Amino acid sequence: MGIFSRRQSTTIEPTPAAGPRTPFPDDTAGATLDPALRALTGQWTIDRPHSRIGFSVRHAMVTTVRGAFADYDSTLYFDGARPSQSRAEITIRVASVDTGVEQRDAHLIGTDFFDARRHPEMTFRSTSTTHEGKETFRMTGDLTIRGVTRPVELQLDYLGSVLDPFGYERAGFDATTTIDRTQWGLVYNQRLEAGGTMVSEKVRLQFDISAIRSTPIA
């Protein structure tokens, strides 16, 4: 993500509803937005080869296992003037999980964890976005795993935008949140003889996003 300049601040949202929109003043929640953000308003798509949707979790109380999902779709919409109107939607095929260990990946997509046969997808759909200041935003949304939907809150940091050598306009974001996996029905675990559990209930979700503009600037 280091290819992005850090001179601007922004957010995301799906396609606006059809029909005329009533004008209203900039929604900045008291924070100052860089005027250049207005130029970023529009639809964007995650560039999968240059992005990572991943997670990390403590294993056996002493180490951290990291993984990522390779197959997903995204719908993003930035509103540079009104951050509260920005939205994001991501659909992830859980069978694409990769932790670097084939046996562990097979366990994760089985009935103990994701149960990919019955629940092949997990989704995130944003419900609100707030500009907290400078390059930082707070995005709230509904996370669905194994058919269970619960709200989560992401810290979203805007990294900047750039026109790459291939002519694509890109914008970069980092987003993170920590969830309790048992609240989504991922309750499998084993107790350790010395105390504690084999797999932590706390899971850190990480979104390292390189987004490409999918609609022309209005």
Side-chain angles (χ1 to χ4, degrees), residues 6-49:
R6 299 186 63 89
R7 296 178 298 175
Q8 304 162 339
S9 331
T10 198
T11 32
I12 41 193
E13 155 177 307
T15 311
R21 296 177 60 177
T22 302
F24 52 92
D26 292 0
D27 179 8
T28 62
T32 301
L33 281 168
D34 187 330
L37 289 177
R38 297 175 185 273
L40 296 179
T41 298
Q43 295 182 12
W44 298 71
T45 302
I46 295 175
D47 178 22
R48 287 193 290 185

Side-chain angles (χ1 to χ4, degrees), residues 66-180:
R66 294 176 173 82
F69 299 94
D71 188 11
Y72 53 86
D73 297 321
S74 63
T75 302
L76 314 176
Y77 186 84
F78 299 90
D79 195 320
R82 298 176 295 270
S84 66
Q85 300 301 299
S86 298
R87 299 287 185 270
E89 182 173 328
I90 302 174
T91 299
I92 300 168
R93 260 71 70 180
V94 297
S96 69
V97 67
D98 181 7
T99 65
V101 178
E102 185 175 345
Q103 184 177 0
R104 181 166 58 208
D105 295 343
H107 190 194
L108 286 174
I109 66 176
T111 56
D112 284 340
F113 288 98
F114 290 119
D115 196 1
R117 186 182 297 272
R118 295 179 57 201
H119 305 285
E121 296 177 342
M122 59 184 289
T123 61
F124 172 80
R125 294 182 175 89
S126 67
T127 55
S128 66
T129 307
T130 303
H131 180 219
E132 296 197 324
K134 295 186 178 180
E135 300 165 341
T136 300
F137 297 80
R138 185 70 54 180
M139 177 173 280
T140 301
D142 292 328
L143 178 64
T144 300
I145 306 174
R146 288 181 60 122
V148 177
T149 302
R150 297 184 62 88
V152 296
E153 194 173 75
L154 301 175
Q155 178 179 317
L156 182 66
D157 294 320
Y158 171 59
L159 304 183
S161 62
V162 68
L163 187 67
D164 72 18
F166 303 99
Y168 294 106
E169 186 178 5
R170 295 177 178 271
F173 297 88
D174 284 341
T176 59
T177 190
T178 299
I179 65 171
D180 180 343

